Amino acid sequence: HDIHTSHTRAVVEGTAVLWKVRLFSDDLEKGLRTFSRRPSFVLAKDPAADSIFTAYFNTRVGLSDDGVRLRAGLVDTGTDRDPVGGTVHWYLLQFDAARQPATLSVSNSLLVEQFSNQANIVVLLSMPGEKRHSLYFGDGSREPQVVRLK
């Protein structure tokens, strides 16, 4: 397929940031093959796939609270069928801050090393009140964007 994108819905509530990202399975598999240096890597068959994805995610997605980089832990994972017949992998991850963040610095370079037209979209909701922030990382952008939550 010609479109290479990830879509994230993130929710900031208290000291936790829940991050649910969806990626095309074939694109993700290609990226994880390169990252893991395992040319035969197959998402559905590798028992270490979740660990490999989490390590990859933490190298490509940056979330900082007041200059302190937060690391994500995997909460859940699954697959969905894409309406045009492909498969989409989704991952729910959680970042934990020491205190409720007032601002977050966000970067997202998932799969930009694989596809020159990779686009990563992040919709971030801050609770309470569901204040919405939409972030777009495209054209190989690795620059962080700052979101003021309060």
Side-chain angles (χ1 to χ4, degrees):
H1 54 93
D2 295 332
I3 297 173
H4 303 286
T5 187
S6 75
H7 184 270
T8 296
R9 181 178 168 97
V11 178
V12 181
E13 190 162 13
T15 60
V17 179
L18 288 170
W19 185 284
K20 186 174 184 182
V21 61
R22 296 170 46 88
L23 308 104
F24 290 111
S25 299
D26 57 340
D27 292 352
L28 178 59
E29 207 164 61
K30 183 175 182 181
L32 293 181
R33 275 189 196 115
T34 302
F35 177 75
S36 68
R37 296 187 178 117
R38 294 166 56 191
S40 61
F41 176 86
V42 177
L43 271 168
K45 296 181 181 178
D46 195 310
D50 289 349
S51 296
I52 292 169
F53 173 79
T54 304
Y56 174 74
F57 179 88
N58 277 306
T59 66
R60 296 288 181 214
V61 174
L63 200 62
S64 297
D65 170 28
D66 196 24
V68 177
R69 180 149 178 159
L70 307 176
R71 292 194 54 82
L74 186 63
V75 175
D76 200 7
T77 183
T79 57
D80 293 326
R81 295 296 298 165
D82 183 47
V84 294
T87 304
V88 174
H89 265 74
W90 60 264
Y91 295 87
L92 178 62
L93 300 109
Q94 183 169 329
F95 296 90
D96 290 309
R99 58 178 172 71
Q100 185 171 0
T103 62
L104 287 174
S105 176
V106 181
S107 62
N108 185 338
S109 61
L110 289 169
L111 299 175
V112 299
E113 74 283 2
Q114 296 297 321
F115 308 105
S116 62
N117 65 341
Q118 177 70 31
N120 296 307
I121 300 163
V122 177
V123 176
L124 188 131
L125 300 172
S126 55
M127 301 301 205
E130 294 187 27
K131 185 176 178 185
R132 181 181 303 265
H133 309 271
S134 297
L135 309 174
Y136 175 79
F137 300 90
D139 301 321
S141 172
R142 296 171 189 251
E143 293 299 313
Q145 297 179 37
V146 176
V147 176
R148 300 198 192 301
L149 302 172
K150 295 180 181 182

